[in-house]
Amino acid sequence: PRMVAGIITATLDPRTGLEAAAAGPFDPAAIEAYYRGEAHRLAWREESLAMAAFDEALRIEPGFARARLARAELLNHLGGWFGLLQPVEALPEAETELERALQVDSTLAEAHLVRANILFRYKYDWAGAEREYLRAIEINPGYAEARNHFGNFLRAMGRIEEATNQLEAATRLDPLYEDH
C-alpha cells in the first residue's frame, strides 16, 4: 500500500511524475497495465503475470519509463532474491531496461537505487554503487528505501557510523518500512 501510495503521489509531482513532461500523454490502457503489473510485483506473487502486464504497457507506450523500471526491478528480483533465474540471465536485461528508463527520465530515483544494488551485489563496483545510492538520495531525499539500502551498503563497507545515520534517517522517514 505504501509503495502504491508513493506511485500515486509521484503522478502529481511534475519533477518525479510517471514520466517527464516531454514524453507526452500516455494511453490509459498502458497505465492500467502498469498498475496491474505493480500489484502482482508488489504482492511478491505471480511474477509471470507482472512481467506480462509490464510488457503490455510497453507495447502500448514504448517510452513508459516506470514500466521499464518495474521490469528491471522484477528481473533483478528473479535473478537475485527469488533465484528463479540465474543472475547471468536476468541482469543484462535488467540493466538494459534501467538504461532505457533513465534515457526517458533520468530523475527516477528508484532506477538509480536498482542500479546501485546491481553494482553492489553483482558487479562489486563499490564506487559506482555509492555514486548511484547518493544520486537516488539527491533526487529524492525523502526516499526511505534508498537510505535503507545505502545504510546496508555502508555497513558492508565497514562504515558503521555512516550506516547508522542512513538507517536512522530511513526509520525517521518511514517508521513502518519493513527492510530496516
Side-chain angles (χ1 to χ4, degrees):
R2 189 171 38 264
M3 181 73 151
V4 173
I7 292 166
I8 293 168
T9 302
T11 63
L12 302 177
D13 181 347
R15 192 175 69 82
T16 60
L18 276 176
E19 297 303 319
F26 281 91
D27 186 315
I31 295 170
E32 188 276 329
Y34 165 74
Y35 281 119
R36 191 169 6 97
E38 282 292 84
H40 290 296
R41 185 179 70 83
L42 295 172
W44 302 104
R45 60 179 167 70
E46 303 296 341
E47 293 81 18
S48 62
L49 293 176
M51 190 65 76
F54 298 141
D55 288 344
E56 178 184 345
L58 290 167
R59 271 192 302 280
I60 298 166
E61 294 283 353
F64 196 166
R66 284 207 179 263
R68 291 220 179 269
L69 169 59
R71 217 173 169 283
E73 286 181 293
L74 183 56
L75 286 162
N76 183 34
H77 292 308
L78 291 173
W81 296 328
F82 294 168
L84 297 174
L85 296 174
Q86 292 297 316
V88 70
E89 291 177 81
L91 292 179
E93 189 175 352
E95 289 178 304
T96 297
E97 292 295 353
L98 278 174
E99 293 310 313
R100 289 177 179 167
L102 286 166
Q103 285 173 358
V104 174
D105 186 352
S106 65
T107 67
L108 289 171
E110 299 91 340
H112 291 280
L113 175 59
V114 173
R115 184 191 276 163
N117 287 334
I118 289 172
L119 291 170
F120 172 39
R121 293 187 177 117
Y122 304 108
K123 304 274 184 166
Y124 310 114
D125 177 355
W126 314 135
E130 184 165 357
R131 258 190 323 274
E132 291 298 320
Y133 286 123
L134 290 171
R135 181 68 179 129
I137 292 167
E138 175 188 359
I139 291 168
N140 183 354
Y143 189 14
E145 186 174 3
R147 289 185 178 275
N148 182 65
H149 285 254
F150 187 41
N152 289 328
F153 166 82
L154 291 167
R155 184 173 42 208
M157 297 295 109
R159 295 161 57 186
I160 304 305
E161 186 175 334
E162 293 172 86
T164 301
N165 291 338
Q166 289 299 322
L167 294 169
E168 287 174 353
T171 301
R172 278 192 306 277
L173 290 165
D174 187 351
L176 300 178
Y177 183 69
E178 298 150 2
D179 242 355
H180 298 309

